[in-house]
Amino acid sequence: MPAHEQSNPWAPLTPSQLEQRKIVSVNPETVSHTAATDIPGHWGPAQDDSWNLSRFRDNLKVDFHHNKPHDAAFSLIGVDASVANAFRRILLAEIPTLAIEDVFVFDNTSIIQDEVLAHRLGLIPLTGGQEGLKWLKWFRKPPPKDDFAAQATWDAEEGEDSAASVPSDYNTIVLILNVTCRWATKAEDGRDGKALAKDGESDPNIRYVNSNVYARDLVFEPQGQQGKYFNDDEDTQIRPVNPDILVAKLRPGQRIHVRCHCIKGIGADHAKFSPVATASYRLLPQINITQPILGADAKKFARCFPKGVIGLEPSSDDSDELQAVVKDPMKDTVSRECLRHAEFKDKVKLGRVRDHFIFSVESTGQFGSSELTLDSVRLLRAKAESDGVVGTNWVLSYEGIDQLYRGLAAGNWTS
Amino acid sequence: MAQDSDDREMEDAAPGAEANESTNGDFIKEKQRLRLLPGSTDTAASFAFEKEDHTLGNALRYMIMKNPEVEFCGYSIPHPSEAVMNLRIQTFDNVSVFEVLRKGLTDLADLCDVVEDKFTAARDEFDAAHPDGEEA
């Protein structure tokens, strides 16, 4: 690293050194300089790396690449990896989402077992009015009676049934699935299924009626106050994001009649509660051509990267030869192909920019992608505030009886 | 452990002094998720956060390390089956660990504020310039 070569190792870092420490090096077989070194004291007393909110605000940049309702891609530049990762983890596991949890089976004569059907119903992503979803409260589901450890924790916390463990209109959404399959008849459907079957027709859609149970067959039954928030006219009623999800297949005489209770949950509990199809980020790749790559080598070099990453331009000193120039590093997939060829493997340095995160947030459809990202930022702030004493009252209990401490304010707060 | 002269008595919370219920309506509040582990002093202490993991742990560790008065800060998760996160902070002379922890949490909250503001501004600007959501 250049810092060790300078005459005074305790001087503040020069701009080029600051640029250098932002790069994670990508080598043929390894990745180096992965740890962030912007910690106060690491580069000597003259380099000020301590937390400075205004400097952070000036350096932070957010650039959108595309912002479709359920698919957003943006660059978050200037945060540390731990914070970007916190946002990603919260998006995946900690944002409350509505999904089917309890399935009460009245009639299931189909070939799909009850539990398999319930599992499939739970995985169907639902959507509805945003205002209503925010209004919905949590339902604290009591643990099963045969799970003694969980029961003990539950009794310690709850005592008797609190309001949150009773299904009510403010914490549970009810969906009904009631489908019966029968032969198609001339009178009701305009075709005689049995006769067609005798003639050789094998398509179940023609022979029978309701042989396929789709997600669109789930009917929302507003309870109590829910009609105010979820109604037909404003298209805010609870419905599956994709109505064409095949839930089960039936044959004549088989029936599925179930009532589903949907509650709010988080992805950490069950993946069905995760609001994102996936949320991921990658670091911006960096290609640094240290010596000019000309002519045929330049063409070969450009083919080592995805289209659009490397462009060929007339060389500065020798204008009949083309030289390789980096055009768009964002398109690069960092396959390190160029490091496999002797002609230019020593003329290029690959790396990634440590604080440039290219996020891709794909929502399952319940919430919008950019709104989800904002929720994840707010949730991290709520975590920080609830664990500290910022605006709350906390008591710090202690393990050792001989410990005396001061500082943190007192008070218990309950749910 | 010497008694400090500005040792404050622990008072009960004033009745009705609830935490930010309006903003945190969605998030179930728990009791006493933050504990001080035995053997802690005023300048070197270990905390146990219940129901926390790398999400808060790593971010908080980073914010506390950005404080030049901190000699050491690290976090660990003693066992992945238990939702407990231990955080150790050691400070240089005469700096209270509790103040450092409080500052770290406040700084993290400020960071989130700034990110939220910039994100909202960037998103609105993008939506205004690209009504169909695609980049030109």
Side-chain angles (χ1 to χ4, degrees), chain A residues 137-180:
Chain A
K137 297 211 182 13
W138 281 83
F139 172 71
R140 301 265 244 143
K141 187 176 173 179
K145 293 288 177 202
D146 51 0
D147 184 351
F148 300 119
Q151 272 291 314
T153 324
W154 177 261
D155 292 335
E157 278 177 14
E158 287 285 311
E160 60 280 344
D161 244 6
S162 76
S165 29
V166 174
S168 337
D169 62 336
Y170 52 82
N171 58 28
T172 309
I173 300 276
V174 176
L175 295 171
I176 310 276
L177 181 63
N178 191 358
V179 180
T180 311

mmCIF file of all heavy atoms in Angstrom, chain A residues 137-180:
data_model
loop_
_atom_site.group_PDB
_atom_site.id
_atom_site.type_symbol
_atom_site.label_atom_id
_atom_site.label_comp_id
_atom_site.label_asym_id
_atom_site.label_seq_id
_atom_site.Cartn_x
_atom_site.Cartn_y
_atom_site.Cartn_z
ATOM 1 N N LYS A 137 -52.793 -5.028 13.174
ATOM 2 C CA LYS A 137 -51.894 -5.241 14.302
ATOM 3 C C LYS A 137 -51.323 -6.657 14.261
ATOM 4 O O LYS A 137 -51.725 -7.495 13.466
ATOM 5 C CB LYS A 137 -52.670 -5.035 15.610
ATOM 6 C CG LYS A 137 -53.198 -3.629 15.773
ATOM 7 C CD LYS A 137 -53.250 -3.229 17.218
ATOM 8 C CE LYS A 137 -53.823 -1.847 17.449
ATOM 9 N NZ LYS A 137 -54.504 -1.196 16.352
ATOM 10 N N TRP A 138 -50.396 -6.893 15.201
ATOM 11 C CA TRP A 138 -49.781 -8.213 15.275
ATOM 12 C C TRP A 138 -50.695 -9.199 15.988
ATOM 13 O O TRP A 138 -51.386 -8.849 16.931
ATOM 14 C CB TRP A 138 -48.487 -8.118 16.062
ATOM 15 C CG TRP A 138 -47.376 -7.573 15.262
ATOM 16 C CD1 TRP A 138 -47.124 -6.256 15.030
ATOM 17 C CD2 TRP A 138 -46.386 -8.295 14.566
ATOM 18 N NE1 TRP A 138 -46.026 -6.124 14.231
ATOM 19 C CE2 TRP A 138 -45.554 -7.362 13.931
ATOM 20 C CE3 TRP A 138 -46.106 -9.652 14.418
ATOM 21 C CZ2 TRP A 138 -44.463 -7.731 13.154
ATOM 22 C CZ3 TRP A 138 -45.015 -10.013 13.642
ATOM 23 C CH2 TRP A 138 -44.210 -9.058 13.021
ATOM 24 N N PHE A 139 -50.631 -10.433 15.559
ATOM 25 C CA PHE A 139 -51.347 -11.510 16.234
ATOM 26 C C PHE A 139 -50.297 -12.392 16.885
ATOM 27 O O PHE A 139 -49.414 -12.917 16.217
ATOM 28 C CB PHE A 139 -52.183 -12.298 15.221
ATOM 29 C CG PHE A 139 -52.812 -13.537 15.795
ATOM 30 C CD1 PHE A 139 -53.860 -13.433 16.702
ATOM 31 C CD2 PHE A 139 -52.370 -14.791 15.434
ATOM 32 C CE1 PHE A 139 -54.444 -14.574 17.235
ATOM 33 C CE2 PHE A 139 -52.958 -15.934 15.954
ATOM 34 C CZ PHE A 139 -53.995 -15.823 16.858
ATOM 35 N N ARG A 140 -50.382 -12.519 18.212
ATOM 36 C CA ARG A 140 -49.387 -13.338 18.902
ATOM 37 C C ARG A 140 -49.927 -14.753 18.991
ATOM 38 O O ARG A 140 -50.780 -15.062 19.808
ATOM 39 C CB ARG A 140 -49.176 -12.792 20.315
ATOM 40 C CG ARG A 140 -48.710 -11.377 20.318
ATOM 41 C CD ARG A 140 -47.216 -11.294 20.421
ATOM 42 N NE ARG A 140 -46.805 -10.645 21.638
ATOM 43 C CZ ARG A 140 -45.746 -10.992 22.355
ATOM 44 N NH1 ARG A 140 -45.012 -12.002 21.983
ATOM 45 N NH2 ARG A 140 -45.451 -10.355 23.446
ATOM 46 N N LYS A 141 -49.391 -15.613 18.157
ATOM 47 C CA LYS A 141 -49.949 -16.954 18.079
ATOM 48 C C LYS A 141 -49.445 -17.774 19.264
ATOM 49 O O LYS A 141 -48.230 -17.879 19.469
ATOM 50 C CB LYS A 141 -49.494 -17.576 16.761
ATOM 51 C CG LYS A 141 -50.115 -18.894 16.464
ATOM 52 C CD LYS A 141 -49.666 -19.373 15.088
ATOM 53 C CE LYS A 141 -50.152 -20.789 14.860
ATOM 54 N NZ LYS A 141 -49.774 -21.294 13.556
ATOM 55 N N PRO A 142 -50.333 -18.403 20.049
ATOM 56 C CA PRO A 142 -49.870 -19.242 21.150
ATOM 57 C C PRO A 142 -49.149 -20.462 20.592
ATOM 58 O O PRO A 142 -49.554 -21.005 19.564
ATOM 59 C CB PRO A 142 -51.156 -19.648 21.885
ATOM 60 C CG PRO A 142 -52.260 -18.905 21.253
ATOM 61 C CD PRO A 142 -51.796 -18.381 19.939
ATOM 62 N N PRO A 143 -48.091 -20.929 21.266
ATOM 63 C CA PRO A 143 -47.358 -22.068 20.721
ATOM 64 C C PRO A 143 -48.166 -23.351 20.882
ATOM 65 O O PRO A 143 -49.081 -23.403 21.708
ATOM 66 C CB PRO A 143 -46.089 -22.108 21.576
ATOM 67 C CG PRO A 143 -46.450 -21.417 22.830
ATOM 68 C CD PRO A 143 -47.502 -20.407 22.492
ATOM 69 N N PRO A 144 -47.879 -24.392 20.115
ATOM 70 C CA PRO A 144 -48.614 -25.654 20.242
ATOM 71 C C PRO A 144 -48.442 -26.246 21.641
ATOM 72 O O PRO A 144 -47.397 -26.086 22.267
ATOM 73 C CB PRO A 144 -47.998 -26.566 19.174
ATOM 74 C CG PRO A 144 -46.791 -25.881 18.701
ATOM 75 C CD PRO A 144 -46.889 -24.448 19.028
ATOM 76 N N LYS A 145 -49.484 -26.923 22.113
ATOM 77 C CA LYS A 145 -49.495 -27.404 23.495
ATOM 78 C C LYS A 145 -48.417 -28.442 23.755
ATOM 79 O O LYS A 145 -48.013 -28.654 24.891
ATOM 80 C CB LYS A 145 -50.870 -28.022 23.827
ATOM 81 C CG LYS A 145 -51.995 -27.024 23.856
ATOM 82 C CD LYS A 145 -51.918 -26.129 25.081
ATOM 83 C CE LYS A 145 -53.025 -25.089 25.035
ATOM 84 N NZ LYS A 145 -52.731 -23.933 25.850
ATOM 85 N N ASP A 146 -47.924 -29.117 22.687
ATOM 86 C CA ASP A 146 -46.941 -30.156 22.951
ATOM 87 C C ASP A 146 -45.508 -29.630 22.929
ATOM 88 O O ASP A 146 -44.571 -30.392 23.132
ATOM 89 C CB ASP A 146 -47.106 -31.314 21.951
ATOM 90 C CG ASP A 146 -47.142 -30.823 20.517
ATOM 91 O OD1 ASP A 146 -47.041 -29.604 20.303
ATOM 92 O OD2 ASP A 146 -47.288 -31.658 19.608
ATOM 93 N N ASP A 147 -45.336 -28.318 22.714
ATOM 94 C CA ASP A 147 -43.999 -27.741 22.742
ATOM 95 C C ASP A 147 -43.790 -27.120 24.121
ATOM 96 O O ASP A 147 -44.123 -25.968 24.355
ATOM 97 C CB ASP A 147 -43.886 -26.678 21.626
ATOM 98 C CG ASP A 147 -42.501 -26.095 21.503
ATOM 99 O OD1 ASP A 147 -41.647 -26.374 22.372
ATOM 100 O OD2 ASP A 147 -42.267 -25.349 20.537
ATOM 101 N N PHE A 148 -43.251 -27.917 25.066
ATOM 102 C CA PHE A 148 -43.247 -27.493 26.462
ATOM 103 C C PHE A 148 -42.364 -26.278 26.701
ATOM 104 O O PHE A 148 -42.684 -25.402 27.500
ATOM 105 C CB PHE A 148 -42.815 -28.654 27.364
ATOM 106 C CG PHE A 148 -43.734 -29.841 27.260
ATOM 107 C CD1 PHE A 148 -43.262 -31.064 26.820
ATOM 108 C CD2 PHE A 148 -45.079 -29.723 27.577
ATOM 109 C CE1 PHE A 148 -44.113 -32.144 26.702
ATOM 110 C CE2 PHE A 148 -45.932 -30.803 27.459
ATOM 111 C CZ PHE A 148 -45.452 -32.029 27.028
ATOM 112 N N ALA A 149 -41.211 -26.233 26.019
ATOM 113 C CA ALA A 149 -40.297 -25.104 26.233
ATOM 114 C C ALA A 149 -40.960 -23.799 25.801
ATOM 115 O O ALA A 149 -40.957 -22.813 26.531
ATOM 116 C CB ALA A 149 -39.007 -25.330 25.438
ATOM 117 N N ALA A 150 -41.566 -23.835 24.626
ATOM 118 C CA ALA A 150 -42.220 -22.622 24.145
ATOM 119 C C ALA A 150 -43.406 -22.258 25.032
ATOM 120 O O ALA A 150 -43.662 -21.084 25.290
ATOM 121 C CB ALA A 150 -42.672 -22.811 22.703
ATOM 122 N N GLN A 151 -44.133 -23.269 25.481
ATOM 123 C CA GLN A 151 -45.263 -23.001 26.379
ATOM 124 C C GLN A 151 -44.803 -22.307 27.648
ATOM 125 O O GLN A 151 -45.441 -21.388 28.142
ATOM 126 C CB GLN A 151 -45.950 -24.320 26.771
ATOM 127 C CG GLN A 151 -47.041 -24.777 25.832
ATOM 128 C CD GLN A 151 -48.265 -23.890 25.879
ATOM 129 O OE1 GLN A 151 -48.728 -23.539 26.944
ATOM 130 N NE2 GLN A 151 -48.765 -23.503 24.725
ATOM 131 N N ALA A 152 -43.670 -22.760 28.193
ATOM 132 C CA ALA A 152 -43.159 -22.159 29.430
ATOM 133 C C ALA A 152 -42.822 -20.692 29.207
ATOM 134 O O ALA A 152 -43.170 -19.837 30.021
ATOM 135 C CB ALA A 152 -41.926 -22.934 29.912
ATOM 136 N N THR A 153 -42.145 -20.408 28.095
ATOM 137 C CA THR A 153 -41.823 -19.009 27.797
ATOM 138 C C THR A 153 -43.085 -18.200 27.610
ATOM 139 O O THR A 153 -43.196 -17.067 28.063
ATOM 140 C CB THR A 153 -40.995 -18.921 26.489
ATOM 141 O OG1 THR A 153 -40.128 -20.022 26.425
ATOM 142 C CG2 THR A 153 -40.237 -17.619 26.414
ATOM 143 N N TRP A 154 -44.059 -18.799 26.955
ATOM 144 C CA TRP A 154 -45.325 -18.105 26.682
ATOM 145 C C TRP A 154 -46.039 -17.775 27.986
ATOM 146 O O TRP A 154 -46.500 -16.663 28.197
ATOM 147 C CB TRP A 154 -46.197 -19.013 25.806
ATOM 148 C CG TRP A 154 -47.537 -18.465 25.501
ATOM 149 C CD1 TRP A 154 -48.713 -18.766 26.113
ATOM 150 C CD2 TRP A 154 -47.865 -17.503 24.494
ATOM 151 N NE1 TRP A 154 -49.748 -18.069 25.554
ATOM 152 C CE2 TRP A 154 -49.261 -17.290 24.555
ATOM 153 C CE3 TRP A 154 -47.119 -16.812 23.545
ATOM 154 C CZ2 TRP A 154 -49.908 -16.412 23.704
ATOM 155 C CZ3 TRP A 154 -47.772 -15.933 22.700
ATOM 156 C CH2 TRP A 154 -49.159 -15.741 22.794
ATOM 157 N N ASP A 155 -46.117 -18.760 28.892
ATOM 158 C CA ASP A 155 -46.810 -18.514 30.159
ATOM 159 C C ASP A 155 -46.104 -17.455 30.974
ATOM 160 O O ASP A 155 -46.737 -16.628 31.619
ATOM 161 C CB ASP A 155 -46.893 -19.820 30.969
ATOM 162 C CG ASP A 155 -47.823 -20.833 30.314
ATOM 163 O OD1 ASP A 155 -48.718 -20.382 29.579
ATOM 164 O OD2 ASP A 155 -47.635 -22.040 30.528
ATOM 165 N N ALA A 156 -44.773 -17.478 30.925
ATOM 166 C CA ALA A 156 -44.013 -16.475 31.678
ATOM 167 C C ALA A 156 -44.309 -15.082 31.156
ATOM 168 O O ALA A 156 -44.425 -14.125 31.905
ATOM 169 C CB ALA A 156 -42.517 -16.775 31.586
ATOM 170 N N GLU A 157 -44.416 -14.972 29.849
ATOM 171 C CA GLU A 157 -44.626 -13.642 29.256
ATOM 172 C C GLU A 157 -46.079 -13.205 29.327
ATOM 173 O O GLU A 157 -46.383 -12.056 29.569
ATOM 174 C CB GLU A 157 -44.213 -13.651 27.784
ATOM 175 C CG GLU A 157 -42.741 -13.494 27.539
ATOM 176 C CD GLU A 157 -42.429 -13.589 26.048
ATOM 177 O OE1 GLU A 157 -43.373 -13.510 25.240
ATOM 178 O OE2 GLU A 157 -41.259 -13.760 25.715
ATOM 179 N N GLU A 158 -46.986 -14.133 29.037
ATOM 180 C CA GLU A 158 -48.367 -13.692 28.794
ATOM 181 C C GLU A 158 -49.266 -13.839 30.010
ATOM 182 O O GLU A 158 -50.106 -13.014 30.263
ATOM 183 C CB GLU A 158 -48.975 -14.512 27.643
ATOM 184 C CG GLU A 158 -48.403 -14.131 26.304
ATOM 185 C CD GLU A 158 -48.933 -12.812 25.791
ATOM 186 O OE1 GLU A 158 -50.156 -12.619 25.799
ATOM 187 O OE2 GLU A 158 -48.129 -11.958 25.409
ATOM 188 N N GLY A 159 -49.133 -14.912 30.762
ATOM 189 C CA GLY A 159 -50.077 -15.111 31.863
ATOM 190 C C GLY A 159 -51.386 -15.646 31.298
ATOM 191 O O GLY A 159 -51.480 -16.794 30.916
ATOM 192 N N GLU A 160 -52.362 -14.774 31.198
ATOM 193 C CA GLU A 160 -53.596 -15.239 30.550
ATOM 194 C C GLU A 160 -53.687 -14.654 29.146
ATOM 195 O O GLU A 160 -52.833 -13.897 28.726
ATOM 196 C CB GLU A 160 -54.818 -14.902 31.403
ATOM 197 C CG GLU A 160 -55.039 -13.428 31.692
ATOM 198 C CD GLU A 160 -54.178 -12.871 32.813
ATOM 199 O OE1 GLU A 160 -53.601 -13.638 33.596
ATOM 200 O OE2 GLU A 160 -54.046 -11.654 32.881
ATOM 201 N N ASP A 161 -54.688 -15.006 28.471
ATOM 202 C CA ASP A 161 -54.862 -14.579 27.074
ATOM 203 C C ASP A 161 -54.911 -13.063 26.955
ATOM 204 O O ASP A 161 -55.852 -12.442 27.404
ATOM 205 C CB ASP A 161 -56.188 -15.149 26.550
ATOM 206 C CG ASP A 161 -55.948 -16.115 25.423
ATOM 207 O OD1 ASP A 161 -54.782 -16.427 25.140
ATOM 208 O OD2 ASP A 161 -56.930 -16.561 24.846
ATOM 209 N N SER A 162 -53.904 -12.480 26.377
ATOM 210 C CA SER A 162 -54.009 -11.050 26.138
ATOM 211 C C SER A 162 -54.728 -10.829 24.807
ATOM 212 O O SER A 162 -54.916 -11.761 24.039
ATOM 213 C CB SER A 162 -52.623 -10.411 26.106
ATOM 214 O OG SER A 162 -52.007 -10.708 24.892
ATOM 215 N N ALA A 163 -55.077 -9.614 24.563
ATOM 216 C CA ALA A 163 -55.882 -9.319 23.378
ATOM 217 C C ALA A 163 -55.178 -9.727 22.095
ATOM 218 O O ALA A 163 -55.824 -10.052 21.103
ATOM 219 C CB ALA A 163 -56.212 -7.832 23.338
ATOM 220 N N ALA A 164 -53.873 -9.723 22.125
ATOM 221 C CA ALA A 164 -53.143 -9.983 20.896
ATOM 222 C C ALA A 164 -53.177 -11.444 20.489
ATOM 223 O O ALA A 164 -52.836 -11.771 19.364
ATOM 224 C CB ALA A 164 -51.688 -9.526 21.044
ATOM 225 N N SER A 165 -53.585 -12.367 21.406
ATOM 226 C CA SER A 165 -53.614 -13.769 20.977
ATOM 227 C C SER A 165 -55.023 -14.245 20.674
ATOM 228 O O SER A 165 -55.276 -15.432 20.560
ATOM 229 C CB SER A 165 -52.945 -14.682 21.995
ATOM 230 O OG SER A 165 -53.056 -14.167 23.268
ATOM 231 N N VAL A 166 -55.954 -13.304 20.577
ATOM 232 C CA VAL A 166 -57.309 -13.648 20.161
ATOM 233 C C VAL A 166 -57.494 -13.145 18.740
ATOM 234 O O VAL A 166 -57.303 -11.962 18.490
ATOM 235 C CB VAL A 166 -58.343 -12.978 21.100
ATOM 236 C CG1 VAL A 166 -59.745 -13.216 20.588
ATOM 237 C CG2 VAL A 166 -58.183 -13.492 22.513
ATOM 238 N N PRO A 167 -57.868 -14.026 17.805
ATOM 239 C CA PRO A 167 -58.036 -13.537 16.426
ATOM 240 C C PRO A 167 -59.197 -12.550 16.358
ATOM 241 O O PRO A 167 -60.301 -12.879 16.769
ATOM 242 C CB PRO A 167 -58.346 -14.800 15.617
ATOM 243 C CG PRO A 167 -58.112 -15.947 16.518
ATOM 244 C CD PRO A 167 -58.142 -15.463 17.919
ATOM 245 N N SER A 168 -58.909 -11.355 15.880
ATOM 246 C CA SER A 168 -59.967 -10.334 15.777
ATOM 247 C C SER A 168 -59.841 -9.623 14.449
ATOM 248 O O SER A 168 -58.906 -9.869 13.687
ATOM 249 C CB SER A 168 -59.846 -9.303 16.894
ATOM 250 O OG SER A 168 -59.163 -9.816 17.973
ATOM 251 N N ASP A 169 -60.743 -8.698 14.230
ATOM 252 C CA ASP A 169 -60.716 -8.038 12.924
ATOM 253 C C ASP A 169 -59.499 -7.153 12.765
ATOM 254 O O ASP A 169 -59.121 -6.820 11.645
ATOM 255 C CB ASP A 169 -62.009 -7.232 12.699
ATOM 256 C CG ASP A 169 -62.188 -6.121 13.711
ATOM 257 O OD1 ASP A 169 -61.610 -6.225 14.809
ATOM 258 O OD2 ASP A 169 -62.913 -5.150 13.408
ATOM 259 N N TYR A 170 -58.848 -6.781 13.850
ATOM 260 C CA TYR A 170 -57.687 -5.908 13.678
ATOM 261 C C TYR A 170 -56.379 -6.669 13.588
ATOM 262 O O TYR A 170 -55.335 -6.066 13.435
ATOM 263 C CB TYR A 170 -57.608 -4.852 14.785
ATOM 264 C CG TYR A 170 -57.684 -5.397 16.191
ATOM 265 C CD1 TYR A 170 -56.562 -5.927 16.817
ATOM 266 C CD2 TYR A 170 -58.873 -5.365 16.898
ATOM 267 C CE1 TYR A 170 -56.636 -6.429 18.097
ATOM 268 C CE2 TYR A 170 -58.961 -5.864 18.181
ATOM 269 C CZ TYR A 170 -57.831 -6.396 18.781
ATOM 270 O OH TYR A 170 -57.908 -6.888 20.053
ATOM 271 N N ASN A 171 -56.410 -8.001 13.724
ATOM 272 C CA ASN A 171 -55.132 -8.683 13.555
ATOM 273 C C ASN A 171 -55.196 -9.885 12.631
ATOM 274 O O ASN A 171 -54.168 -10.481 12.355
ATOM 275 C CB ASN A 171 -54.542 -9.084 14.918
ATOM 276 C CG ASN A 171 -55.464 -9.982 15.711
ATOM 277 O OD1 ASN A 171 -56.264 -10.728 15.148
ATOM 278 N ND2 ASN A 171 -55.356 -9.937 17.026
ATOM 279 N N THR A 172 -56.387 -10.231 12.131
ATOM 280 C CA THR A 172 -56.489 -11.415 11.273
ATOM 281 C C THR A 172 -57.310 -11.112 10.040
ATOM 282 O O THR A 172 -58.349 -10.468 10.112
ATOM 283 C CB THR A 172 -57.181 -12.567 12.038
ATOM 284 O OG1 THR A 172 -56.543 -12.739 13.285
ATOM 285 C CG2 THR A 172 -57.101 -13.859 11.247
ATOM 286 N N ILE A 173 -56.832 -11.606 8.917
ATOM 287 C CA ILE A 173 -57.588 -11.479 7.662
ATOM 288 C C ILE A 173 -58.110 -12.875 7.329
ATOM 289 O O ILE A 173 -57.375 -13.853 7.470
ATOM 290 C CB ILE A 173 -56.672 -10.992 6.521
ATOM 291 C CG1 ILE A 173 -56.061 -9.641 6.848
ATOM 292 C CG2 ILE A 173 -57.403 -10.960 5.199
ATOM 293 C CD1 ILE A 173 -56.916 -8.458 6.523
ATOM 294 N N VAL A 174 -59.354 -12.958 6.901
ATOM 295 C CA VAL A 174 -59.941 -14.271 6.597
ATOM 296 C C VAL A 174 -60.114 -14.415 5.095
ATOM 297 O O VAL A 174 -60.701 -13.545 4.438
ATOM 298 C CB VAL A 174 -61.309 -14.425 7.302
ATOM 299 C CG1 VAL A 174 -61.956 -15.740 6.911
ATOM 300 C CG2 VAL A 174 -61.141 -14.344 8.805
ATOM 301 N N LEU A 175 -59.612 -15.515 4.566
ATOM 302 C CA LEU A 175 -59.809 -15.838 3.153
ATOM 303 C C LEU A 175 -60.481 -17.202 3.077
ATOM 304 O O LEU A 175 -60.123 -18.113 3.814
ATOM 305 C CB LEU A 175 -58.460 -15.908 2.411
ATOM 306 C CG LEU A 175 -57.652 -14.625 2.293
ATOM 307 C CD1 LEU A 175 -56.268 -14.936 1.737
ATOM 308 C CD2 LEU A 175 -58.331 -13.632 1.376
ATOM 309 N N ILE A 176 -61.455 -17.324 2.194
ATOM 310 C CA ILE A 176 -62.171 -18.595 2.062
ATOM 311 C C ILE A 176 -61.819 -19.206 0.710
ATOM 312 O O ILE A 176 -61.773 -18.495 -0.297
ATOM 313 C CB ILE A 176 -63.699 -18.378 2.107
ATOM 314 C CG1 ILE A 176 -64.081 -17.529 3.298
ATOM 315 C CG2 ILE A 176 -64.430 -19.699 2.093
ATOM 316 C CD1 ILE A 176 -64.228 -18.265 4.557
ATOM 317 N N LEU A 177 -61.575 -20.493 0.738
ATOM 318 C CA LEU A 177 -61.372 -21.207 -0.525
ATOM 319 C C LEU A 177 -62.408 -22.310 -0.572
ATOM 320 O O LEU A 177 -62.417 -23.194 0.276
ATOM 321 C CB LEU A 177 -59.948 -21.784 -0.571
ATOM 322 C CG LEU A 177 -59.559 -22.542 -1.834
ATOM 323 C CD1 LEU A 177 -59.586 -21.625 -3.042
ATOM 324 C CD2 LEU A 177 -58.189 -23.161 -1.689
ATOM 325 N N ASN A 178 -63.311 -22.231 -1.523
ATOM 326 C CA ASN A 178 -64.404 -23.200 -1.604
ATOM 327 C C ASN A 178 -64.602 -23.608 -3.055
ATOM 328 O O ASN A 178 -65.212 -22.883 -3.833
ATOM 329 C CB ASN A 178 -65.688 -22.561 -1.036
ATOM 330 C CG ASN A 178 -66.783 -23.580 -0.850
ATOM 331 O OD1 ASN A 178 -66.625 -24.757 -1.177
ATOM 332 N ND2 ASN A 178 -67.911 -23.133 -0.318
ATOM 333 N N VAL A 179 -64.022 -24.724 -3.429
ATOM 334 C CA VAL A 179 -64.066 -25.152 -4.834
ATOM 335 C C VAL A 179 -64.512 -26.611 -4.892
ATOM 336 O O VAL A 179 -64.008 -27.446 -4.152
ATOM 337 C CB VAL A 179 -62.676 -25.024 -5.497
ATOM 338 C CG1 VAL A 179 -62.738 -25.465 -6.944
ATOM 339 C CG2 VAL A 179 -62.162 -23.603 -5.398
ATOM 340 N N THR A 180 -65.490 -26.893 -5.738
ATOM 341 C CA THR A 180 -65.931 -28.279 -5.965
ATOM 342 C C THR A 180 -65.754 -28.590 -7.434
ATOM 343 O O THR A 180 -66.104 -27.778 -8.293
ATOM 344 C CB THR A 180 -67.419 -28.427 -5.599
ATOM 345 O OG1 THR A 180 -67.629 -27.849 -4.331
ATOM 346 C CG2 THR A 180 -67.812 -29.891 -5.571
#
